[in-house]
Amino acid sequence: MDYQRYIDWADDRIVHDSRKVVVAFLLVTVVFSAGLGSVSTNSGTSQFTTGLPAEEAFERVNEEFSPTFSPDTGSTQLIQRENNVLSKPALLRMLRSQHRLKEHSGLRVTDTASAASIVAGQLNPSATTTEEQIYAVERATPSEIDAAVERAAEENPRFESLLSTDFNRRSASASATIGTVTHEIPAGISGGSGQGGSSPLTSIQRQAEFTVSSAGQGTTTVFGSGIVADEFSNVVSDSLILTVPAAVLFILFFLTIAYRDLADMALGLLALFMAVVWTFGFMGLAGIPFSQLLIAVPPLLLAVGIDFGIHAVNRYREERADGEGIDTSMRTTTDQLLVAFFIVTMTTVIGFAANLTSALPPIQDFGYVASIGIIFTFLIFGVFLPAAKVELDRLRQRYPIPTFSESPLGSEGSALGAVLRGGVVIANRAPVVFLVLILVSTAGASYYATGVSTSFSQDDFLPPEENPDFVEALPEPFAPSDYTVTAVTNFLEENFDSTQSSQATVYVEGPMREDSALEQMYRAGEDPPETFVREDGRADSTSIVTVIQDRAERDPEFRRMVERNDRNDNGVPDDNLGEIYEYLLDSSARGQALNYIAEDYRSARVVYTVESDASDSAVTDDTQAVAEDFRYEATATGSIVVFQAVSDLILESAIQSLAIALAGASVFLVMIYGVLEGRPSLGLANTVPVVVTVAWLAGTMRLLGIPFNALTATLLAITIGLGVDYSVHITHRFADEFGETDLQTALDRTVRGTGGALFGSMLTTVFGIGVLALAVFPAIGQFGVLTALSIAYAFLASLLVLPSVLVVWDRLFNADWSVRGLLSLGSSRRPAPVDGDD
């Protein structure tokens, strides 16, 4: 065949120009290493939202309602936990924390608020500063404080929202409360969402932590987006420090068993190192940032690289064990493995590249980088490693380089070889019955997998609330950082009806000067959906309407203006809205007004408070329903809506990439086996264990309660890439053997030779990647567990299922279709083969 000329040319370069090949690859490694220093980082949830309509609306909201030349603001939460946060000593502790923070000039505090402040206001309505509020509480008796708490609960609707759900009016008690501190941030610098990257609030909130703790307020926790951003940035580095050394130890241990020769293992490790350097050097040169999703790329390169390396060395040793010389053995090895490696590479690239169809940029980057990395791995292990092995063995002939073992894994007569024959034994006795059982289990797993949920939230990127004891006991530098965010967010969700993050926004675009503009905004809050918090039968919301109402309560002149222009006496003006807005912008309420209406009066936003325990999907549906009630163009947005949009895209990406990867790999395998072997149907046989592996893995995800998230969404397509790796080695070796001997002998030789190499690479990669389960980044931990399982499933399907598939394939496509031949299909014996295929 024509392709054999190219294989022969590559064989000549590897065997006769081995030194030149080795030097050329090392020089390319030096070139790529120059790009390592240019690799930037990108983390958190914000990297997944680029280009989404809800996110674009959210960005417009932030731009339009945060004036360019006015200071931005950010907030910090003070979470106090005591037996009774409404007792006199607890109220004083909260007020003194507020006072110390406000007095600290570096914290740029513009305002503070808390349940303690409201109680102090009830005790002394003229107490407006924290100092005056502290004095009011100090002078009050416990009974006066209890009465003030009761009045606050009756008169101030915000009071109870600052207290935990166990608040008891009669006993004036609660176990937790939230205070808020507002900071001024220089214009043009966002306060951040706490979803990764840096935040100007980080230094402010870390200083606030120190200020509160140094004052002896040990019952108060400082929390906010700056602290979340700080912990986001630590999660990736802590995960790498913890998992990389463990992965290296496991890989070294199993490679030692697989190679059983120090020099051969050193070559394999060098090739793995080069694959990583090439890939990440390429990222730096191409300007692709390193995101949390790309943490998965090195393990994938290791999985394929280890497999290629062990196969190359093991196949070479098989030839050497038969008495062949160095050159002949390597030519035979590369003749077979370059084709197998090429098939594996292309199908793996198809699996990874299927992620390029995702609408999420980080998943696209993952597909792109992983595909390039696998191509690099093919070149290094298909060309460099064999050439280096030739050079090494030639040096061994001239110098006393220690040689520990040259025997191949799974050789005839070995215990491992006997175990690997399990699938062949089944194929000889009852292949059809076995495949029916596999078909039933695969269909059952596929149906069960339809219940796998989707998830996209900050929790996917944060460490668990508690790490295992052995992780906490690790010495420096392996010990993880102290993480508080997960515990605090869990506490807020469990103990408060609504938290700061439980909000949804409707972005409204239209002529806000029209008489009906505010009325339609007001009417949208009537009869709110279930997920919206209610206040006096209406949706609890903040908008330009509430700004007008608040101003009217304090400003008699403005109140009269509103009343003159209010046709139905509901407190919402209907006429001369331009004058109403102008009055607000010329008053001290200007900054507050511009938070909810654009300066050109052509857009506005309404912020609704939603139940903190409501699901993101329910909140999104309800917010979209409310947005549809507006006559103007209105878009549901906010962090909850944006995250739900990403979650929907994650599921769509998972299904879409799976379909493309499976179809693409199947078409490629049919074509390549048709070209190389003249047997296109072998490509279909090759895909059967891959489908089984995908179904088993998806079923396992539901069984373990692991959802499709930002990282696991890529796994089904990846499983096709990695699963094909194992089945291709078996199928291609079988095709070579089947051309020279009978079916049973071909299967036996295949699983003894290739099966041994597969077993070594499976053990190495399963344990090497499985250590990702130790990562403090939960999505990476889940990815590690599932990737390790996918490799184990792919190995088992290739060794147990594929032999029976090949037996049935032989009976179907090489069968005598006479009555005698048809009757023989169900037996363990096949009729004599005929020429041709398909």
Side-chain angles (χ1 to χ4, degrees):
M1 294 184 182
D2 290 339
Y3 77 88
Q4 189 60 46
R5 287 185 304 161
Y6 300 105
I7 298 295
D8 291 340
W9 180 86
D11 290 342
D12 289 339
R13 302 290 76 73
I14 290 170
V15 173
H16 300 303
D17 296 325
S18 56
R19 188 166 301 177
K20 293 179 181 178
V21 169
V22 169
V23 171
F25 272 76
L26 292 177
L27 288 175
V28 174
T29 303
V30 172
V31 172
F32 276 121
S33 65
L36 294 176
S38 303
V39 179
S40 59
T41 59
N42 188 14
S43 63
T45 57
S46 58
Q47 60 185 305
F48 289 89
T49 57
T50 304
L52 295 174
E55 192 262 345
E56 290 178 349
F58 201 28
E59 283 187 353
R60 292 199 299 273
V61 166
N62 292 332
E63 291 170 1
E64 293 181 24
F65 306 117
S66 297
T68 306
F69 298 105
S70 66
D72 293 330
T73 60
S75 64
T76 296
Q77 289 179 316
L78 302 177
I79 304 168
Q80 185 181 19
R81 287 174 265 192
E82 298 195 29
N83 289 333
N84 182 12
V85 294
L86 297 175
S87 66
K88 181 175 180 176
L91 292 173
L92 288 172
R93 276 190 282 272
M94 172 60 80
L95 290 170
R96 285 168 182 155
S97 294
Q98 294 174 232
H99 181 68
R100 286 186 175 88
L101 294 175
K102 194 164 187 179
E103 291 297 304
H104 194 299
S105 60
L107 299 180
R108 308 173 69 92
V109 176
T110 59
D111 188 31
T112 65
S114 67
S117 299
I118 296 173
V119 171
Q122 290 290 336
L123 294 170
N124 181 7
S126 63
T128 57
T129 67
T130 52
E131 197 169 12
E132 291 170 344
Q133 291 167 354
I134 291 171
Y135 183 66
V137 174
E138 285 178 336
R139 291 182 55 196
T141 64
S143 59
E144 290 173 335
I145 290 175
D146 289 350
V149 168
E150 189 171 353
R151 290 196 303 275
E154 292 175 355
E155 299 173 9
N156 193 320
R158 298 287 181 183
F159 182 70
E160 288 195 45
S161 67
L162 297 173
L163 297 170
S164 53
T165 53
D166 61 0
F167 168 59
N168 187 310
R169 287 194 186 191
R170 180 170 297 179
S171 63
S173 64
S175 61
T177 184
I178 298 174
T180 59
V181 180
T182 304
H183 309 273
E184 180 183 289
I185 302 172
I189 302 178
S190 170
S193 63
Q195 295 160 9
S198 60
S199 167
L201 282 173
T202 298
S203 59
I204 290 175
Q205 290 172 352
R206 289 304 186 191
Q207 179 59 51
E209 272 188 318
F210 177 77
T211 301
V212 171
S213 62
S214 62
Q217 310 301 324
T219 60
T220 301
T221 302
V222 176
F223 185 68
S225 61
I227 291 174
V228 175
D230 190 32
E231 295 198 5
F232 263 129
S233 64
N234 290 334
V235 165
V236 173
S237 57
D238 280 353
S239 296
L240 290 175
I241 290 173
L242 189 62
T243 59
V244 169
V248 169
L249 288 176
F250 273 118
I251 288 171
L252 287 176
F253 175 73
F254 285 108
L255 284 182
T256 300
I257 295 173
Y259 284 113
R260 289 156 295 135
D261 184 86
L262 188 60
D264 285 351
M265 187 174 74
L267 280 184
L269 291 174
L270 175 61
L272 289 173
F273 174 74
M274 289 170 61
V276 173
V277 170
W278 281 32
T279 303
F280 283 89
F282 169 80
M283 284 176 56
L285 296 175
I288 301 172
F290 183 80
S291 66
Q292 287 164 316
L293 200 58
L294 293 181
I295 294 175
V297 171
L300 295 176
L301 298 183
L302 293 178
V304 176
I306 287 170
D307 174 64
F308 281 6
I310 292 176
H311 265 91
V313 172
N314 202 64
R315 187 70 184 88
Y316 172 78
R317 287 179 177 180
E318 286 185 54
E319 296 300 319
R320 293 284 281 163
D322 290 340
E324 300 292 345
I326 294 174
D327 292 3
T328 303
S329 296
M330 188 55 73
R331 288 188 70 94
T332 303
T333 298
T334 53
D335 263 351
Q336 184 184 90
L337 289 187
L338 277 177
V339 175
F341 286 176
F342 174 75
I343 297 173
V344 169
T345 299
M346 293 307 298
T347 49
T348 305
V349 166
I350 290 171
F352 291 164
N355 291 294
L356 293 173
T357 61
S358 172
L360 299 174
I363 294 181
Q364 293 175 355
D365 286 346
F366 170 81
Y368 181 52
V369 172
S371 298
I372 294 295
I374 293 301
I375 292 172
F376 288 161
T377 302
F378 164 69
L379 294 174
I380 291 169
F381 282 89
V383 180
F384 168 79
L385 182 65
K389 176 64 175 169
V390 168
E391 280 297 304
L392 174 64
D393 282 8
R394 286 172 180 166
L395 289 173
R396 276 177 164 153
Q397 291 179 337
R398 296 196 296 268
Y399 302 101
I401 298 175
T403 301
F404 296 93
S405 176
E406 285 291 314
S407 62
L409 281 170
S411 55
E412 189 170 353
S414 67
L416 177 59
V419 172
L420 294 174
R421 290 195 71 254
V424 177
V425 173
I426 295 172
N428 287 339
R429 296 180 179 179
V432 175
V433 174
F434 180 67
L435 288 181
V436 169
L437 293 176
I438 292 296
L439 176 63
V440 171
S441 70
T442 301
S446 300
Y447 177 77
Y448 182 68
T450 58
V452 177
S453 61
T454 57
S455 168
F456 184 77
S457 67
Q458 292 191 59
D459 294 344
D460 296 335
F461 297 84
L462 288 173
E465 186 169 347
E466 293 183 2
N467 285 311
D469 291 339
F470 74 91
V471 174
E472 294 294 339
L474 290 172
E476 294 293 343
F478 304 107
S481 304
D482 292 328
Y483 293 103
T484 60
V485 170
T486 305
V488 172
T489 54
N490 289 343
F491 176 80
L492 291 176
E493 290 175 1
E494 293 167 4
N495 293 277
F496 290 85
D497 285 332
S498 181
T499 63
Q500 283 186 328
S501 63
S502 301
Q503 295 178 338
T505 300
V506 173
Y507 175 59
V508 185
E509 296 177 280
M512 302 307 295
R513 293 177 186 266
E514 282 190 359
D515 292 347
S516 62
L518 297 185
E519 279 291 349
Q520 66 165 302
M521 193 178 295
Y522 182 74
R523 286 196 301 270
E526 296 175 352
D527 190 24
E530 291 184 0
T531 62
F532 281 36
V533 174
R534 293 171 179 257
E535 185 179 328
D536 299 327
R538 294 180 50 80
D540 182 12
S541 64
T542 309
S543 66
I544 188 62
V545 173
T546 59
V547 173
I548 290 171
Q549 292 172 335
D550 290 344
R551 183 69 186 184
E553 288 181 7
R554 302 192 308 270
D555 186 337
E557 181 183 352
F558 183 66
R559 181 166 60 249
R560 288 191 292 271
M561 178 186 287
V562 171
E563 289 171 351
R564 286 195 305 271
N565 294 284
D566 182 7
R567 300 176 199 163
N568 53 5
D569 296 324
N570 64 350
V572 180
D574 305 283
D575 298 319
N576 300 313
L577 297 188
E579 294 181 17
I580 299 289
Y581 301 148
E582 288 168 9
Y583 186 99
L584 285 175
L585 298 190
D586 290 337
S587 70
S588 59
R590 174 184 175 84
Q592 189 180 10
L594 289 177
N595 279 329
Y596 298 98
I597 190 168
E599 203 159 2
D600 61 2
Y601 308 149
R602 299 196 60 80
S603 62
R605 69 164 173 164
V606 185
V607 180
Y608 295 98
T609 305
V610 298
E611 299 291 349
S612 60
D613 59 349
S615 67
D616 286 2
S617 60
V619 170
T620 299
D621 291 342
D622 287 347
T623 308
Q624 289 172 343
V626 169
E628 290 172 0
D629 289 339
F630 283 81
R631 184 165 56 86
Y632 297 152
E633 183 178 348
T635 305
T637 186
S639 59
I640 291 177
V641 177
V642 172
F643 279 17
Q644 182 59 36
V646 175
S647 181
D648 292 341
L649 277 180
I650 284 173
L651 179 59
E652 180 184 322
S653 295
I655 296 172
Q656 186 173 274
S657 61
L658 172 63
I660 292 173
L662 189 57
S666 299
V667 170
F668 174 78
L669 288 172
V670 168
M671 290 175 59
I672 199 69
Y673 279 113
V675 171
L676 298 181
E677 305 292 341
R679 301 173 184 270
S681 56
L682 263 180
L684 295 177
N686 203 146
T687 61
V688 172
V690 179
V691 174
V692 171
T693 300
V694 171
W696 288 353
L697 184 69
T700 302
M701 288 182 66
R702 182 178 178 185
L703 183 66
L704 298 180
I706 298 176
F708 285 122
N709 56 35
L711 198 54
T712 58
T714 64
L715 260 173
L716 297 184
I718 289 172
T719 300
I720 291 175
L722 294 178
V724 167
D725 183 355
Y726 285 80
S727 61
V728 161
H729 282 302
I730 293 289
T731 305
H732 189 261
R733 177 69 179 269
F734 167 78
D736 282 352
E737 298 289 350
F738 193 43
E740 300 176 358
T741 185
D742 64 275
L743 175 69
Q744 308 306 331
T745 304
L747 285 174
D748 193 65
R749 288 180 180 177
T750 297
V751 297
R752 287 183 185 278
T754 300
L758 287 178
F759 180 73
S761 65
M762 182 274 294
L763 278 183
T764 308
T765 49
V766 162
F767 282 91
I769 294 178
V771 297
L772 290 176
L774 301 176
V776 293
F777 178 17
I780 285 292
Q782 293 171 349
F783 180 86
V785 170
L786 292 176
T787 304
L789 284 173
S790 71
I791 291 170
Y793 289 164
F795 170 79
L796 292 174
S798 297
L799 266 294
L800 294 178
V801 178
L802 189 53
S804 293
V805 172
L806 292 173
V807 168
V808 173
W809 164 83
D810 175 60
R811 293 176 183 176
L812 290 174
F813 292 98
N814 292 322
D816 173 9
W817 289 99
S818 64
V819 174
R820 180 185 67 84
L822 290 172
L823 291 174
S824 71
L825 288 178
S827 69
S828 60
R829 177 177 161 274
R830 71 176 180 91
V834 295
D835 293 336
D837 175 60
D838 304 327

